[in-house]
Amino acid sequence: MIDSIDPAALEYLFDTLAATYGPQHWWPHQDTDNPRFEILVGSVLTQHTAWTNVERAVATLLSAGPLTAEALLAYDDLADLIRQAGPHRIKAARLRALCQWFIDCGGFAAIDQMSTDTLCAELRAIRGIGPETADAIALYACGRPRFVADAYAFRIFERVGWWQGSRRYEGLRQKIEHAAPNRDAAFFDELHALIIEHAKTRCHKQRPDCAHCALAERCARVGVRPAGFEVV
Ligand code: SF4
């Protein structure tokens, strides 16, 4: 196991991906009246679901009324409204739990007073909200400097040689944050978005396009078959 990541190496990865893909403008949202709350909703809807399906479900919710915790809790047919975003009954239950927590704790006015650790612990205590969803909310809805260690991040960091062994969420999150101790939420926001873009554009799950990858010069390509480096 690699004990720590060289901060300069993380800066290189960030700068290279930023130069390759440009600004990512995350988190994409549709509701200009309540964009922070839309991030809470989207973070649940996107679990195990393509983003295009999330966009359709959010559009349906917005056509039904205001996107607020009170409005979502009042819908008897919430599951039907989010049907386009995958397992809708499970996600409706998770959304209800998140909305109830949001109201009970006092909304963003109270959330913004919480420490990051308290916020993430409270979010993780909600049924169906795991560490990845909690950190996405903390980062994108609350502006906290938190690294979202999702499956795309593990894939890329395993291949470049920064992570080995079982995929422990907290282990990778802390390792990346320790390599960027003075970086703000804007950095982690962009880093997460760039990692997803790179995973989708070049570092595919099957047959990564190493021949055209901006990181190829410094990537160990751990676990990548030679065919992944062929020019296709
Ligand atoms: S060189 Fe290949 S394995 Fe390494 S980051 Fe690029 S696409 Fe992924």
Side-chain angles (χ1 to χ4, degrees), residues 36-53:
R36 293 181 71 189
F37 188 74
E38 183 181 335
I39 293 170
L40 267 68
V41 174
S43 69
V44 171
L45 295 182
T46 197
Q47 294 171 339
H48 312 296
T49 302
W51 184 253
T52 51
N53 296 330

Side-chain angles (χ1 to χ4, degrees), residues 65-104:
L67 198 58
T68 65
E70 291 82 359
L72 296 193
L73 285 172
Y75 290 134
D76 291 333
D77 58 347
L78 179 60
D80 290 333
L81 289 171
I82 62 169
R83 183 178 289 274
Q84 293 143 307
H88 55 298
R89 297 192 192 288
I90 292 172
K91 291 188 176 181
R94 292 176 180 178
L95 267 184
R96 288 188 187 285
L98 181 60
C99 288
Q100 194 61 60
W101 168 81
F102 183 82
I103 292 171
D104 291 346

Side-chain angles (χ1 to χ4, degrees), residues 156 159-160 198 202-203 208-210 213 215-216 219 221 224 228:
I156 290 174
R159 287 173 173 173
V160 299
H198 186 57
R202 291 281 179 252
C203 201
D209 185 8
C210 303
C213 175
L215 300 176
C219 179
R221 294 190 284 280
V224 176

